[in-house]
Amino acid sequence: MTLERTTPVAHLASRIPPSFTLGVAAAAFQIEGALADGGRGPSGWDAFVEKPGAIEAGASPAVACDHYNRLPEDVALLQDLGVDSYRFSLSWPRIQPDGRGPVNQAGLDFYDRLIDSLLAAGITPMATLYHWDTPLPLEHRGGWLNRETAKRFGDYAYAAGARFGDRVSQWVTLNEPLSVAFNGYAFGVHAPGRALLFDALPAIHHQLLAHGLGVQALRAASVVGGIGLTNFHAPIEPASNTRRDRLVAHVYDLAMNRMYADPVLLGRYPRLPLWAQPWLRAKARITDADLQTIHQPLDFYGLNYYFPVKVAMGRGQELRRTDPHHAMSRLPFRTVDYPELARTGFGWPVAPDHLGTVLGQLRDRYGAALPPVYITEGGASFPEPDSVSAPLRDAERQQYLADHLGSALAAVAPGGVAEGVDLRGYYVWTLMDNFEWAAGYTQRFGLVHVDFATQARTPKQSYYWFRDLIRSREP
Ligand code: BGC
């Protein structure tokens, strides 16, 4: 098939170092469906989607991409794409329905089949233990506000490690603790729908504790693969050079970036200003032993980058509920647009250079404490039809991916803004259109179009572009 291309593949391919990983990423709850099949228990998200108005157009994740029943077809798509690696998540409530106690054999068997078919297709499995689907019984006991959840996570990590540890190449403990703490507990736009603002801060500590206990459990299970975690990072800019805006940018940077990376990589929390009183109270219960647990040696650091953030002092206007910054409208500061930049379907500014900025910040902040880095997610949604009869001409997505990968490679190259960072790979978010959390099915991020009425999968042009890129690399 001859396809229109907007980006010269050969040039980009020639800049990709040998042994650099090209992959795609996905998450269980967004694709699997089959929420009541095979002994899976409910998650906090299963309950949250029932809340009126929680999900755009009242969309249901019950079927999603029906990946649970279409595993062979989806692995064939991955194989044809030719990715080196596939990052997927294990559903905690599919493996351990109550979040404690016995494991569910059918759930384990499903992931056995996934891992074995990936390996048979020559694709390296990267498994995320937690991509936001907390077992509902744990959510009922406070979820991440309850320290006990961290211990339960350690047990689950051990069970997963014991079963899959001989075949998984890389383990990600948690995906974006920031998003769970902010969207789920501070602002209530994601499960479990709590709007606690600063009282949500213990949810950060308990997730990080879970990360540390998870690393220890995986090591105790003697997994052969590397272990890391994935954090969301965004460079934060003040809207102006005033002292007030710079102060807000500083605070926002602490809350969005450093609260998750500092304890994991340096073994301490950043010093927070007085606005964080509830955190300071919670902090009284944080022990040195906790920080030691959180500060585990890691084999890699996962970075999810989507957009930069600009902030100003003063309340913003009420934003759309599915807007990731909706919650900020209740705070005395606001995010500000980048009028000069293009936007994705979600309205996110397209800023590939800022990916280099983030990598440079990680190097400057963590130096030798920063392990090798994988960009574990990057991608964009654009308005696309519900059904198609031919590959979608998604030139914007190709450009987005080419520019972001190119920017990351330039940043870590000699003389680049992040020279010295050991960047090992880039995972596109995502293989196929899926259940985009509170946005339901309205935001399509996939390289493969999914018609949710028929479950037909139709690769987009970006899929063929990425396949060409993968094939065009130096052997
Ligand atoms: C999450 C994905 C999500 C993507 C796009 C990331 O922060 O890890 O689950 O689909 O953003 O919103």
Side-chain angles (χ1 to χ4, degrees):
M1 182 183 313
T2 310
L3 292 168
E4 193 179 90
R5 294 206 176 81
T6 52
T7 314
V9 160
H11 176 63
L12 184 56
S14 69
R15 297 168 52 207
I16 298 176
S19 78
F20 188 90
T21 299
L22 289 178
V24 288
F29 192 75
Q30 295 181 268
I31 61 171
E32 285 180 3
L35 301 183
D37 295 6
R40 178 188 179 277
S43 74
W45 266 94
D46 295 45
F48 180 68
V49 300
E50 300 295 333
K51 273 177 72 168
I55 310 298
E56 200 144 311
S60 163
V63 178
C65 304
D66 198 27
H67 171 69
Y68 185 77
N69 296 307
R70 291 168 194 263
L71 186 65
E73 185 182 352
D74 293 339
V75 173
L77 280 167
L78 289 163
Q79 186 170 19
D80 186 43
L81 183 56
V83 280
D84 305 314
S85 178
Y86 176 50
R87 174 176 175 238
F88 57 95
S89 81
L90 303 169
S91 159
W92 185 353
R94 199 179 284 294
I95 290 183
Q96 197 181 31
D98 290 333
R100 61 168 68 227
V103 290
N104 171 32
Q105 279 309 323
L108 291 167
D109 291 348
F110 170 71
Y111 295 111
D112 260 341
R113 289 200 296 283
L114 171 60
I115 291 166
D116 289 344
S117 37
L118 289 173
L119 292 172
I123 299 166
T124 301
M126 178 187 265
T128 301
L129 283 167
Y130 177 74
H131 201 127
W132 306 355
D133 42 1
T134 309
L136 190 57
L138 297 186
E139 203 70 86
H140 284 152
R141 290 191 201 99
W144 290 115
L145 297 174
N146 184 349
R147 193 182 164 90
E148 191 60 23
T149 301
K151 296 199 185 130
R152 298 284 71 78
F153 180 82
D155 294 348
Y156 154 63
Y158 185 84
R163 179 70 172 244
F164 309 122
D166 56 336
R167 286 158 292 155
V168 165
S169 304
Q170 274 149 324
W171 293 89
V172 174
T173 53
L174 308 180
N175 180 72
E176 298 184 2
L178 159 85
S179 303
V180 175
F182 265 44
N183 293 333
Y185 289 86
F187 305 128
V189 293
H190 279 185
R194 311 284 303 269
L196 303 170
L197 290 178
F198 292 115
D199 284 324
L201 286 162
I204 299 175
H205 182 63
H206 297 145
Q207 286 185 86
L208 295 181
L209 197 55
H211 158 74
L213 293 170
V215 175
Q216 289 177 339
L218 290 172
R219 299 219 192 279
S222 304
V223 302
V224 297
I227 305 174
L229 93 165
T230 281
N231 272 329
F232 177 97
H233 282 284
I236 312 296
E237 295 178 308
S240 77
N241 204 24
T242 60
R243 207 179 64 81
R244 282 157 55 88
D245 284 355
R246 280 188 285 121
L247 176 71
V248 171
H250 171 68
V251 166
Y252 207 69
D253 180 42
L254 292 175
M256 250 188 131
N257 294 306
R258 295 200 29 208
M259 286 288 281
Y260 315 87
D262 283 20
V264 166
L265 297 176
L266 303 176
R268 58 173 185 263
Y269 282 101
R271 273 162 63 96
L272 296 184
L274 281 180
W275 54 265
Q277 279 300 339
W279 169 251
L280 298 177
R281 278 201 306 276
K283 216 173 160 216
R285 292 192 296 276
I286 295 174
T287 61
D288 286 349
D290 283 359
L291 286 165
Q292 271 170 27
T293 303
I294 292 168
H295 184 209
Q296 295 292 315
L298 296 181
D299 301 301
F300 67 92
Y301 188 80
L303 160 66
N304 287 358
Y305 170 77
Y306 286 92
F307 49 78
V309 174
K310 198 186 279 184
V311 288
M313 190 69 95
R315 263 172 186 264
Q317 64 189 52
E318 193 69 25
L319 297 170
R320 264 177 12 132
R321 195 177 159 68
T322 50
D323 189 302
H325 300 120
H326 156 86
M328 280 199 65
S329 50
R330 294 170 57 195
L331 294 170
F333 42 85
R334 65 187 190 279
T335 55
V336 175
D337 281 348
Y338 286 84
E340 72 283 15
L341 298 178
R343 288 157 173 269
T344 70
F346 243 144
W348 296 346
V350 177
D353 292 351
H354 289 66
L355 173 52
T357 308
V358 167
L359 288 163
Q361 278 179 352
L362 289 174
R363 179 201 59 191
D364 295 345
R365 288 175 180 178
Y366 304 111
L370 181 68
V373 174
Y374 287 87
I375 295 166
T376 40
E377 282 180 34
S381 63
F382 293 104
E384 288 168 352
D386 290 343
S387 63
V388 295
S389 51
L392 260 174
R393 297 180 166 215
D394 58 340
E396 283 173 297
R397 181 171 292 103
Q398 291 175 43
Q399 197 67 55
Y400 182 100
L401 295 173
D403 289 349
H404 282 72
L405 177 55
S407 161
L409 292 171
V412 300
V417 293
E419 180 180 0
V421 171
D422 183 0
L423 182 64
R424 299 269 177 98
Y426 189 95
Y427 288 76
V428 172
W429 184 267
T430 178
L431 173 65
M432 55 189 165
D433 298 336
N434 59 38
F435 181 77
E436 178 47 46
W437 306 111
Y441 297 102
T442 63
Q443 300 296 326
R444 294 175 173 272
F445 279 80
L447 297 177
V448 176
H449 180 275
V450 177
D451 182 329
F452 294 103
T454 63
Q455 289 298 333
R457 279 107 160 103
T458 311
K460 304 176 190 176
Q461 284 202 349
S462 56
Y463 173 96
Y464 295 106
W465 170 82
F466 197 48
R467 189 173 72 170
D468 276 2
L469 181 72
I470 292 166
R471 288 181 181 171
S472 311
R473 290 173 298 173
E474 298 292 321

